[in-house]
Each structure stands twice: as structure tokens, then as C-alpha cells.
Amino acid sequence: MATRPVSRMLRRVLRSSVRSCSSGAPVTQPRPGEPSQSAAEELSRRRQFLREHAAPFSAFLTDGFGRHHSYLRISLTEKCNLRCQYCMPEEGVPLTPKADLLTTEEILTLARLFVKEGVDKIRLTGGEPLIRPDVVDIVAQLHRLEGLRTIGVTTNGINLARLLPQLQKAGLSAINISLDTLVPAKFEFIVRRKGFHKVMEGIHKAIELGYSPVKVNCVVMRGLNEDELLDFVALTEGLPLDVRFIEYMPFDGNKWNVKKMVSYKEMLDTLRRQWPELEKLPEEESSTAKTFRVPGFRGQLSFITSMSEHFCGTCNRLRITADGNLKVCLFGNSEVSLRDHLRAGASEEELLGIIGAAVGRKKRQHAELFLMLRDSPPAIPSISSWDPLGVQGLRRSVRLSNQGATLWKGCRVPQTPPLAQRGLGAGSPQRHYSSHPDSDANPQCLSPASRAPAAHSGPLPASDQLTHVDTEGRAAMVDVGGKPDTERVAVASAVVLLGPEAFRLVQENQLKKGDALAVAQLAGVQAAKLTSQLIPLCHHVALSHVQVRLELDGARHAVVIRASCRARGPTGVEMEALTSAAVAALTLYDMCKAVSRDIVLGDIKLISKTGGQRGDFHRT
Ligand SMILES: Nc1nc2c(ncn2[C@@H]2O[C@H](COP(=O)(O)OP(=O)(O)OP(=O)(O)O)[C@@H](O)[C@H]2O)c(=O)[nH]1
Ligand SMILES: C[S@@+](CC[C@H](N)C(=O)[O-])C[C@H]1O[C@@H](n2cnc3c(N)ncnc32)[C@H](O)[C@@H]1O
Ligand code: SF4
Ligand code: SF4
């Protein structure tokens, strides 16, 4: 269904209610069974307004930009029987325990709720949806939902020929099949498994059973399959296919690189050279694809331009991950666990309140992608859990991760001069920490006493007890060589009090400088990796993961930053987590300072630390 435009006034009201919603209610997820009261009230006001003004669509599924979300993508599983290079690591993705995945009944309960509110299209995806044993049953039950007009599946095609007759009987109405090459050997290289002929069989079965068009998804990568564009289009001459060329998107560990991405414009130029008469076809307003046809050909071809020309303005999509999280945007950084609320016995009204609040917070667009396109590699960490369709991210909010990042590889670590050379450590340490009233008298003496908080002044322990200073008062790094390697995780947080105006602009992603949350998130990841260069006696730690989340707290007009770092090694990662949170906070300040200087950074603290020899720490 195409979204119907809402009036300007309605749009304003929707926005302002989203604003007031977030100022009156915690934007962070309420506990299961405790949906935010004020958010629910605001939503019911919104709903009332929309009803009174004969608004065309559910307020719960309408976001602050007036977009109606009538298309729900449900990930049926995180598992897959292929390992496409651009999507999954060879070893697969870490799987959520079965008990945490949505059951068939839970999937149907949620689907029912969304359809009741106006969703008229559901696409089943994954992982590979056709390896879920009850997929036919799920389709059959979805088919009974009144108002659901389209039930689609996106599949790698391996099990399609076998299952399609049953799926069709059950009510499956649309099929998208992924195929990136027409060369069998290349297929095995790309997906790291056999199966080319099964996929082709699946495509032909879909045509035979009357699906039209059968959509074929082809992720185009330079140096791999961009030489096959013409062959793919040639297939549409006699077959009712819609071959969809997809711009290669970054994924956790898929070694995305802007040079490997072939843009829509470039592909179109290539095709026009062969078929200058290529004609553009109209498409639905909310479509992700730009569609063309070679006159006289039976099928058509399309481009999915997520990277070079996003289609967020008409986005009508929501996603539910295999473990029951609602993701309002493929690249968004917030998820709400519907599963937890369901299992805690939330009522329909309460669930709708939670869904409506999440939809209300949806951002205008996915700015992270623009950042990635703008910066050329290697200055781009890969983005993890980007779930074009549900794979891993299905589990988590968008995280910027350092996995696979090459940013700092080969960087020379600047040598930190001994503190004594900078006037900070000469002589006995006591001298510099004394509370001598004249410590400012000698400008040469940069005694920390003049700057240290009172609690830190006074005599220090003897130098042989100081772990970071040697017997001559010089800086000394603790030798951790003898300590065993353990898995270390630390989480730290910071709060940035933005004030109402800056908060609003950040929330609506309207800052002139750009998407402050995305930039701060990136800064946090980079800072974690740079910690040993910033904090003089900090060890260099090979981080295996960094995750930075930013949540809007409307009640305080604040952004709450949470940074989590993980490493296996002999020393902890709390400095990395704290640095990450602090730098993300500073970056937010930098992004917003043109709007307000009355921004307070604070509450930088360690939340938890595990894996060390001295036991775990959890702030209560
Ligand atoms: N930016 C963005 N891209 C998406 C989204 N959903 C799907 N895509 C892109 O669309 C490609 C194909 O996805 P499909 O699973 O076939 O879904 P679809 O394009 O929604 O399919 P239709 O329902 O036929 O329009 C993916 O590889 C992504 O590149 C989305 O919500 N946002
Ligand atoms: C993640 S898969 C899930 C469904 C099913 N397993 C399949 O392959 O069709 C859905 C779609 O996402 C596409 N996709 C995966 N990784 C991508 C990437 N890095 N860039 C663009 N599209 C991607 C796939 O080609 C596929 O069409
Ligand atoms: S694109 Fe689909 S088939 Fe390929 S690895 Fe990802 S989930 Fe599996
Ligand atoms: S990136 Fe987010 S807003 Fe943009 S089209 Fe995809 S889901 Fe919609």
C-alpha cells in the first residue's frame, strides 16, 4: 500500500506529540509489563487526534514524519544454510538460545496485532526463513488474518522448489529469491556452499506456479559479479523475472569497502550502453526499488539504492527480529523487546503503547550510511548488525563495532615522554602532591596539587607502593606479562544534558552539522581503540568488540551513553569503556555547541567490569 500524504498540520501535530511524548516519558525501554504511562497517554492523545481528523492510518504505526508503517518484516530464524560473503562470516553468526526466540504462537500474536493496526504486508525473512520447520504453518496462519494483503518471503532458494507448492497452498503471495551470479563455480565461491542448481530450480518452480514477477535479488560487488549485469538482464527477455540489482551494503565483518560498491548510476550507465531504449517504470511510493524494462522483454529490472539514493522518506517498514525485538529502522540504533513484554503478560493496549512509542522515535533517515559513503576507507569501521533483512542484527540495535576495522592498523603509537620531562614527575612524588600553599608560586612547577581535587592531596604512599611510578618517581607501566589471559568486559556510561532546544534538534536529526548521535557513536568506538594513546600508562589492549549505544532521555533532555568494551587479555578494559563514553559525550557537545553552550557533560562512570582477578564489579 502506498502511504497517503498527511496534511501539514497533522504532520506538525504528530511531530509535536512525539516531542511531548519524549519529554514526558522515559525514552528508554520500560520494563516488561510496565509500559510507560505518559508515553501511552501521549499515544492515546495522538490516536484521538488522528481519529477526530479522520486520519487515514493507525497512530501507533505513524511516526513523527507522518510515515505510515504498513509493511512488517519478520525474521523467522537467525540460522542459514549458506554463508554469503557479503552477509555472514564463514563460521556463521552466534545464535540466540532457542528459549529466547519467538515461538510460532508469539509470532502470530504479534502479527495479528500489527495487522489489526493496519499492516497489510508481511515479509518473512531471516537468516534463511525456509529452514524454519514450521514455516508453512506460519504462512497458513498468517493467511487467515483479515486485512493482510501480501505474505512474502525472501529466500536463498535452496529449499524453495521443495516447499513452494505447500507454501503457495498456505497462502504465500510473493517471492524474492537471492542469486548473485549465473556462474555455478562463482556461486560456490560467493555463498561458500553448493546449491546453484537448487536455486535455479526454485526460480523456475516459482515461475511455473504463476508467481509474477518472481523477484531475483542480486547484490552487486565490484570485481565479483558486476560483469554479469547484462547476463542477468538478458534473463528477463523470456522470463517474468524482476532482477533487482542491490547496492552492496556494509555488514559486520563483510569487508565492505566503498570501492567494492557499484552504484546505481554506474550500473544504469552500463545497461544503457547495451539497451539505450531502457524505460523507467512507475513504482509504488514506498518501494525500495527503481524499476526499468527493456521494451519487448517479458520481465523487468530494478535497482535497490540503499547506499547512493536512500528511500527513507517513504519508508513504511518495521521489523521484528527472530528473538522478538522491534526494530523501527534497518540501521536504527534502538530496539524494543516485544517478546519480553509479551511474556510478562502485557495487554494488547500496553503492547501498542510500546510499539507506538518506538515508532514515534524513528529517525528520518539512516545517517550512518552517508558517513560511510563520505569517508573513504580505511577510515570506516564496519558496521555490525546492520540487518538488511534480519540476519544478525535482528538481535541487536545498530552498533558500530571495531571488528574488521583497519582504521588504526599500522598507526604509529606516539611515544609518551616520561612525565619528568614534562615537569610532572621529577623528584619525589610526595613533592608534587603536597598541599603546600605555595604550589602555584613557581610557575615552572605544574604541581598536580594545584589542580587535583582536595581529596587527592596529602601524602602519597611510598614510591615502592605506587604501581604506576617507579622508585625515581618516573612513570612506570605495570608489567601484566605474568597475568593470565581472561575474557574482560567493562561497561561505562556518561550523560549529556543538552537542554530542550539542542535535544529536540538531536532527536529530530535536524542539526546543521549532521546526525549527532551517529557521529558520537563512531567517536566512542574510535576512542575506545585509542585509549592507550590517550591515557599515558594504560596498556594497549586488543579489543575484540566495542559497542556504543546512545539513548534519548526526554525527561531530562539528555542523551545517555553506554559504552561496552570486550577483550581477552591480562588486563581490564574499563579505561577503554570510560574513554569511549567520555569521548562520545564530548563529540555530542561538539555537534551541538552551535545551538547551545549550556550543555553539561557528566556522570561518567563505570557500570560494570567482569573477568578481572579482583572479581567482578557491578554498580548497584
Ligand atoms: N535501506 C533499506 N533497505 C532495505 C530495507 N529492506 C530491504 N532493503 C534492501 O532491499 C533488499 C531486498 O530485500 P527484500 O528482502 O527482497 O525485500 P524488499 O525489497 O522489501 O521486497 P519487496 O517487498 O518485494 O519490495 C535488501 O537486500 C536491502 O538492500 C530497509 O528497510 N531499508
Ligand atoms: C539477509 S537475506 C535473508 C533472506 C535469505 N536468506 C536470502 O538470502 O534471501 C535478505 C537479502 O539481503 C541481501 N543482503 C545480504 N547482505 C547484503 C549486503 N551486504 N548488501 C546488500 N544486500 C544484502 C541478500 O542478498 C538477500 O537478498
Ligand atoms: S544473504 Fe541470506 S542466504 Fe546469504 S548468508 Fe545471508 S541470510 Fe544466508
Ligand atoms: S534505512 Fe531505515 S528509514 Fe531508511 S528505508 Fe531502511 S528502514 Fe526505512
Side-chain angles (χ1 to χ4, degrees):
M1 186 187 90
T3 50
R4 300 233 302 274
V6 284
S7 72
R8 201 178 289 164
M9 180 176 81
L10 178 54
R11 218 176 282 244
R12 249 200 326 267
V13 170
L14 282 170
R15 276 194 203 180
S16 70
S17 66
V18 168
R19 270 207 298 280
S20 55
C21 183
S22 52
S23 59
V27 177
T28 45
Q29 187 179 334
R31 279 174 220 279
E34 292 176 11
S36 148
Q37 190 56 38
S38 43
E41 281 164 11
E42 284 297 334
L43 276 159
S44 90
R45 265 201 289 281
R46 245 157 82 184
R47 203 158 60 142
Q48 174 76 7
F49 179 90
L50 290 164
R51 248 196 244 113
E52 282 167 9
H53 292 77
F57 198 72
S58 159
F60 295 106
L61 302 186
T62 302
D63 70 12
F65 303 95
R67 293 175 296 196
H68 302 157
H69 294 82
S70 57
Y71 177 1
L72 179 66
R73 300 174 65 95
I74 303 179
S75 170
L76 290 188
T77 175
E78 299 160 343
K79 292 186 192 163
C80 188
N81 44 0
L82 299 183
R83 292 287 183 275
C84 304
Q85 308 233 11
Y86 50 75
C87 172
M88 248 190 216
E90 180 137 33
E91 66 280 9
V93 291
L95 298 175
T96 302
K98 190 155 186 263
D100 294 340
L101 297 173
L102 289 183
T103 62
T104 311
E105 207 35 61
E106 286 168 336
I107 291 174
L108 293 166
T109 301
L110 290 175
R112 211 170 288 126
L113 187 63
F114 278 91
V115 171
K116 229 159 124 186
E117 282 301 307
V119 161
D120 64 1
K121 172 171 169 178
I122 290 183
R123 175 166 296 283
L124 303 176
T125 175
E128 173 49 38
L130 297 194
I131 61 175
R132 183 160 170 143
D134 55 357
V135 60
V136 176
D137 186 36
I138 289 174
V139 171
Q141 302 217 45
L142 288 177
H143 190 53
R144 294 196 196 116
L145 299 181
E146 202 180 317
L148 185 60
R149 284 197 272 167
T150 307
I151 306 174
V153 79
T154 301
T155 170
N156 61 30
I158 297 286
N159 293 342
L160 188 61
R162 181 167 59 82
L163 289 176
L164 195 52
Q166 303 165 58
L167 285 166
Q168 187 176 43
K169 257 193 220 128
L172 187 75
S173 48
I175 297 184
N176 299 358
I177 306 164
S178 301
L179 179 68
D180 309 305
T181 176
L182 300 172
V183 181
K186 208 195 275 186
F187 176 91
E188 282 184 32
F189 173 75
I190 294 175
V191 309
R192 303 188 181 108
R193 296 282 188 279
K194 292 190 187 307
F196 176 80
H197 297 289
K198 283 192 176 160
V199 182
M200 291 308 284
E201 202 189 328
I203 291 174
H204 286 288
K205 180 59 84 182
I207 295 171
E208 180 193 319
L209 293 181
Y211 286 92
S212 181
V214 172
K215 296 188 184 177
V216 173
N217 285 345
C218 172
V219 179
V220 180
M221 290 156 287
R222 196 178 307 285
L224 200 50
N225 60 353
E226 101 261 39
D227 58 334
E228 294 190 56
L229 294 181
L230 302 182
D231 296 338
F232 269 103
V233 175
L235 279 183
T236 67
E237 183 166 6
L239 297 174
L241 298 177
D242 179 0
V243 172
R244 306 193 316 159
F245 298 116
I246 302 176
E247 287 177 346
Y248 177 34
M249 301 197 291
F251 248 164
D252 191 13
N254 75 356
K255 303 195 177 70
W256 184 89
N257 174 319
V258 75
K259 290 182 193 142
K260 285 191 195 161
M261 193 199 93
V262 185
S263 73
Y264 150 58
K265 288 267 157 59
E266 191 182 339
M267 293 190 252
L268 189 58
D269 282 351
T270 305
L271 298 183
R272 279 207 195 284
R273 277 195 291 277
Q274 175 73 14
W275 292 287
E277 69 277 28
L278 205 58
E279 65 183 17
K280 176 95 178 59
L281 300 180
E283 63 250 355
E284 277 194 4
E285 194 194 346
S286 55
S287 170
T288 53
K290 297 175 174 54
T291 304
F292 294 78
R293 182 172 40 206
V294 179
F297 281 19
R298 223 175 134 199
Q300 59 195 38
L301 59 119
S302 306
F303 300 94
I304 298 184
T305 61
S306 314
M307 299 299 293
S308 67
E309 284 185 24
H310 71 82
F311 27 80
C312 303
T314 56
C315 180
N316 65 346
R317 285 137 199 269
L318 298 173
R319 327 175 111 72
I320 297 180
T321 66
D323 59 355
N325 281 358
L326 174 68
K327 252 177 101 75
V328 294
C329 172
L330 174 54
F331 301 111
N333 60 0
S334 72
E335 289 186 16
V336 180
S337 175
L338 297 182
R339 177 204 62 205
D340 288 352
H341 290 288
L342 256 185
R343 291 185 185 176
S347 68
E348 215 172 78
E349 196 63 23
E350 286 168 334
L351 282 171
L352 281 176
I354 290 154
I355 293 165
V359 172
R361 294 195 299 271
K362 179 159 169 165
K363 289 211 243 164
R364 198 169 37 150
Q365 62 194 37
H366 54 76
E368 290 89 351
L369 284 187
F370 309 141
L371 285 177
M372 300 199 70
L373 273 181
R374 198 193 54 195
D375 299 349
S376 56
I380 312 164
S382 68
I383 289 200
S384 80
S385 91
W386 283 25
D387 169 25
L389 319 165
V391 186
Q392 336 198 33
L394 308 189
R395 276 186 289 281
R396 325 206 181 288
S397 54
V398 162
R399 302 167 308 205
L400 297 180
S401 144
N402 71 337
Q403 285 170 1
T406 52
L407 183 52
W408 308 112
K409 249 190 214 164
C411 265
R412 207 163 50 84
V413 178
Q415 294 302 303
T416 310
L419 295 186
Q421 283 174 20
R422 291 180 285 147
L424 284 174
S428 81
Q430 283 90 334
R431 204 181 90 208
H432 292 277
Y433 281 84
S434 80
S435 53
H436 193 288
D438 280 339
S439 55
D440 278 343
N442 177 2
Q444 301 296 312
C445 173
L446 301 173
S447 163
S450 61
R451 292 169 289 127
H456 286 184
S457 57
L460 276 183
S463 60
D464 61 358
Q465 292 174 298
L466 295 170
T467 56
H468 285 49
V469 182
D470 68 15
T471 49
E472 290 171 356
R474 297 241 162 83
M477 212 169 173
V478 175
D479 184 352
V480 294
K483 290 168 79 181
D485 282 357
T486 52
E487 189 73 19
R488 316 283 192 133
V489 179
V491 180
S493 69
V495 176
V496 182
L497 302 172
L498 290 171
E501 182 56 7
F503 180 82
R504 182 184 67 77
L505 292 169
V506 168
Q507 184 181 40
E508 294 178 2
N509 195 10
Q510 301 279 10
L511 281 172
K512 283 216 177 96
K513 285 191 178 179
D515 188 335
L517 297 178
V519 177
Q521 201 176 24
L522 259 178
V525 173
Q526 296 184 357
K529 295 184 292 183
L530 268 180
T531 303
S532 65
Q533 296 175 44
L534 296 171
I535 313 286
L537 300 179
C538 209
H539 292 86
H540 174 69
V541 179
L543 290 169
S544 54
H545 188 243
V546 179
Q547 179 181 332
V548 180
R549 283 168 186 260
L550 294 98
E551 284 180 352
L552 297 172
D553 178 348
R556 289 192 286 168
H557 295 125
V559 176
V560 180
I561 300 163
R562 233 179 133 83
S564 153
C565 295
R566 176 189 293 275
R568 187 169 181 78
T571 183
V573 287
E574 74 214 78
M575 288 313 301
E576 282 70 14
L578 285 161
T579 306
S580 171
V583 172
L586 283 167
T587 305
L588 268 182
Y589 181 96
D590 184 45
M591 294 293 288
C592 300
K593 65 181 192 277
V595 179
S596 164
R597 293 252 160 82
D598 187 17
I599 296 173
V600 180
L601 315 185
D603 222 7
I604 300 173
K605 62 189 177 200
L606 184 68
I607 302 292
S608 66
K609 175 183 170 174
T610 57
Q613 281 184 324
R614 285 189 291 144
D616 293 350
F617 165 80
H618 292 278
R619 187 175 293 278
T620 47

